[in-house]
Structures are given as structure tokens and as C-alpha cells.
Amino acid sequence: MISYTDYEKPLAEIEMLCEAVSQALLDGASLEQLERASASLREASIAFASFTEKHKVLVHGGTELRVRMKRIVTLIHLQRESLLRLAAQAERSLHTLIPGMAEQKNVSYEPLGRATSTHRGFGG
């Protein structure tokens, strides 16, 4: 049977990477640093999801595990909101610098944060 300690290492890595992304957001880190931290968190999250998918058994100490996972989910949600605010702020700044951009609407942000292009080329 899988024990809580089997989950400890990957979970601790995700917590550490969540903190790194949070710190990058708070420090106003460069885009490259933020992307690097986010990519590492995404990779660790995917690995953890794969690990949990393979081991679909109840874990001893599950209450503590659920509390930690809930904290991670909440932190990632807050980080996502911060990133959406930064994207909106950057877009507003661009509209200030280049007033005609507001009418072009080349990029929109869907509720899940995916950027989509509505530009159809020169012919419209």
C-alpha cells in the first residue's frame, strides 16, 4: 500500500515551486524568470498527477495530504489571478502607448486564460 511518505517528495517539490512562482510575482521578476518558475511548477504538477493516477489507493494520513493539496490549489488559483491582472495591466499600458490597438482586438482572454487570435490576415 502507498503511504503518505511516498507522496511527500513530489508534494514538497510542488509546494517549493509554488512558493518560487509566488516570490517571482511579488518581486516583479523578469518575464523569463516567471516563465521558468511557472514551467517548472507545471512539469512537477503533471508528474504528480501522473503519480497519483498510477496509485489510486487511499493514503494513510490522507487528511493532512488533502489539506496540503487544497492549499496548493488555492495558491495556484491566486497566482493565476495575479497573472491575469498583470496581463490586463500590460494590455492597458499598450493601449495607452498605441491608442489604435483598442480597436484591433487581435487578442482576447477567455475565462480559462487562453489567448486566442481573431486576426484573419490582410483581407479581413
Side-chain angles (χ1 to χ4, degrees):
M1 179 179 270
I2 300 297
S3 69
Y4 179 79
T5 57
D6 295 320
Y7 282 84
E8 179 59 34
K9 183 180 178 188
L11 193 57
E13 181 181 8
I14 289 174
E15 288 172 328
M16 179 192 70
L17 293 169
C18 276
E19 292 301 323
V21 171
S22 291
Q23 197 60 49
L25 284 166
L26 290 172
D27 292 347
S30 71
L31 181 59
E32 292 80 21
Q33 292 170 318
L34 188 55
E35 284 177 341
R36 215 173 13 256
S38 296
S40 296
L41 175 58
R42 184 174 42 254
E43 290 169 12
S45 298
I46 291 169
F48 185 71
S50 176
F51 175 81
T52 57
E53 186 67 26
K54 283 185 216 174
H55 304 95
K56 289 185 175 183
V57 294
L58 293 176
V59 177
H60 295 296
T63 303
E64 185 181 341
L65 178 66
R66 279 191 294 276
V67 168
R68 288 175 71 187
M69 291 178 76
K70 186 174 182 177
R71 181 182 171 275
I72 289 169
V73 168
T74 301
L75 186 56
I76 290 173
H77 177 74
L78 292 171
Q79 291 170 350
R80 182 178 169 274
E81 286 182 4
S82 294
L83 290 169
L84 288 172
R85 282 190 197 99
L86 286 172
Q89 182 181 16
E91 191 171 342
R92 277 194 306 269
S93 296
L94 282 173
H95 289 262
T96 301
L97 292 172
I98 309 168
M101 281 190 65
E103 291 80 37
Q104 292 178 6
K105 297 205 182 221
N106 288 340
V107 177
S108 64
Y109 297 94
E110 294 181 355
L112 295 177
R114 296 180 297 240
T116 59
S117 177
T118 58
H119 183 65
R120 300 177 197 255
F122 293 107

